[in-house]
Amino acid sequence: TGVPCHLAGAQPSQLTLDPPWTPVFLTEKVTLTCQGSGAPGPAKWYVNEQFWQQARSNHIHITTDLPRSYSLQCRSPGARLSPSITLGFSNDWLVLQVPARVLLEGDALPLRCRG
């Protein structure tokens, strides 16, 4: 896909999750925040590479009662689309969680077990 000329030199948006782990339990609320180096304003949100919604601010809350995974991205005003983050929701009684952020080769991989 092409990048619009006005975004060609822009930095990518940064998507963060709170809590910053995946998977999370069903009905657990996750706050998604989108930060960019451009002007402040509402972010556009994408789920599974499809436009989902434009929020009134740079953060939204997501929860579900269905066990599934979502590929999430955002774009803040004046910035490019963020790298994707996969967020899973589980109905298991025990989950092994990993950080819901991009890891680079050589980064430590913390694991967390929750029940």
Side-chain angles (χ1 to χ4, degrees):
T1 61
V3 175
C5 291
H6 68 282
L7 293 179
Q11 294 295 314
S13 301
Q14 297 298 316
L15 173 58
T16 57
L17 278 57
D18 182 24
W21 301 92
T22 186
V24 296
F25 292 110
L26 291 185
T27 70
E28 190 170 355
K29 183 171 70 173
V30 179
T31 301
L32 285 62
T33 303
C34 189
Q35 298 288 340
S37 57
K44 292 183 179 177
W45 297 92
Y46 299 80
V47 175
N48 300 330
E49 299 183 358
Q50 300 292 319
F51 176 75
W52 178 37
Q53 66 171 303
Q54 181 163 340
R56 293 183 178 153
S57 68
N58 70 336
H59 64 273
I60 59 172
H61 306 288
I62 185 172
T63 188
T64 184
D65 56 2
L66 297 173
R68 61 178 302 184
S69 291
Y70 300 94
S71 174
L72 305 168
Q73 292 173 284
C74 72
R75 190 171 73 211
S76 62
R80 295 195 330 257
L81 195 62
S82 71
S84 65
I85 290 180
T86 300
L87 173 62
F89 288 88
S90 174
N91 63 349
D92 291 330
W93 62 274
L94 187 67
V95 293
L96 179 63
Q97 295 180 313
V98 297
R101 62 179 172 86
V102 175
L103 294 174
L104 301 175
E105 185 176 343
D107 285 352
L109 176 59
L111 300 175
R112 190 168 90 156
C113 188
R114 284 185 65 210

